[in-house]
Amino acid sequence: LLCKPRVAWYNITIMVKLLVIADDLTGALDTGVQFAKKGIPTWVRIEDAGKPPCGEEAGDVVVVDTESRHIPAEDAFARVRDAARWGKSLGASGLYKKTDSTLRGNIGAELAGLIAGAPSDLPLVFAPAFPALKRTTRGGFQYVENVSLEKTAFAQDRLNPITTASVARIIKTGPRGAELEVSSVKPGELDLRARGAGARVVVADSETEGDLAEVARRIRGFARERQGAPFPLLAGCAGFAAYLPELLDIGGFAVFQGKTADPLLAVNGSLNPVSLSQLRQALRLGAEGLRLVPGDLVSASAQEKLRNKIAGCLARGKAAALHNISDIRGIDAFNAAAAALGIPEKDLHAVLPQVYGKLVRSLAEDTAIGSLVVFGGDTLVGILRAFGTSSVIPLAEIATGVVLARIPGVDNPEYIITKAGGFGGEDLLAKLLRL
């Protein structure tokens, strides 16, 4: 059925086999696509005000984006707890807490929320590595391309700075995480038979795909050895999620075989240095740079002028890249100018996606967009809400971490292409824009 995205299979009530709980939308999609690309009906939805998706909007796999990466830890704990309770009420045989592979966000609070929502006498198994993107876990410490996490560009994230590579210390940051008992093991030493009281998290070291496969093999072996024994709670990024279909014995149907429409428009709302580098490369290779300036945030006429510029580019078949900055060194000046117009920095992460969404929604009324490239989870949320929906159907993974998806009920844009901020080489956006 995924070969025909317009078929409303999602209106059929299907028993949920796996619930994935993510903290942002791009992460939800790059995890959900691990199932979709194997032909497993998968539904991704933004949770609104603590209300998980209803049963009619379910596939074998449901991914709930709690939008909790940038909120207070106690609120993140509550959202994940409530989502886990909902998953258990549907009889989901597996619960997976998707985390960022560079451990940004409310990691400890959300793992504690999963445990609180679905109590178990088994430890929660946490495999945060993503070897395909060179994010690895060794001796309980996280590395990116063999560089200790706190020494990488990810540590400088303006909203989620990282000060340590110790997975245990990151988990135990904050009151909820501090309550967790954390240990780490090598893949071949994972033993689920050792039970004990209390909220326990076992961090599984993984440096290769073979390591992740071994973690999955040991979990599967435990379940077979103890027939009828529940699966432990699981956590990790998209890297470990790729092993869950076999682990949970979730079968697939036909995979997506469609051809994407030419992507001519990109919207970059990500401040990640990797995304900004990709943007600059696309601009150097000929993409039309359409910059959203602070004045556009408060002026309807300025937004209309910018919208018409974008429409003109698309009408001419010119690849366009909508953005607010192309270099992180320009962020302070942008923020200061926005503050002078009455939008403080703390509100920009909400206001910018709203404006991006409004522009794209207005374009879609009379301009063929084709496939829309979107960098930044908050930006994608703003676009979805502008279309009056909170759901996305992942269809295929066109590169590692790069997801082709469809907005149900929306024909223009025909597809969206999205990724997390730090994924991909410098030429990724240029390739997506056919430059």
Side-chain angles (χ1 to χ4, degrees), residues 144 147-158 272-274:
V144 177
V147 177
S148 188
L149 180 60
E150 85 282 4
K151 297 178 181 179
T152 68
F154 297 99
Q156 308 305 316
D157 188 287
R158 294 176 73 93
N272 188 284
V274 173

Side-chain angles (χ1 to χ4, degrees), residues 351-369:
V351 174
L352 270 168
Q354 290 174 4
V355 175
Y356 282 133
K358 183 178 178 181
L359 288 168
V360 172
R361 180 68 183 86
S362 177
L363 277 169
E365 293 176 358
D366 58 17
T367 305
I369 297 174

Side-chain angles (χ1 to χ4, degrees), residues 288-357:
E288 184 79 18
L290 297 165
R291 186 170 175 233
L292 185 150
V293 299
D296 296 331
L297 302 176
V298 296
S299 169
S301 61
Q303 290 175 21
E304 180 67 16
K305 184 177 179 180
L306 180 58
R307 175 238 184 261
N308 290 337
K309 286 183 179 179
I310 302 170
C313 285
L314 296 179
R316 299 193 308 272
K318 175 75 171 178
L322 177 61
H323 61 284
N324 65 312
I325 63 168
S326 59
D327 191 302
I328 195 62
R329 289 173 294 185
I331 189 61
D332 290 333
F334 185 94
N335 291 348
L341 293 170
I343 306 174
E345 182 177 350
K346 66 180 181 63
D347 294 336
L348 274 175
H349 79 278
V351 174
L352 270 168
Q354 290 174 4
V355 175
Y356 282 133

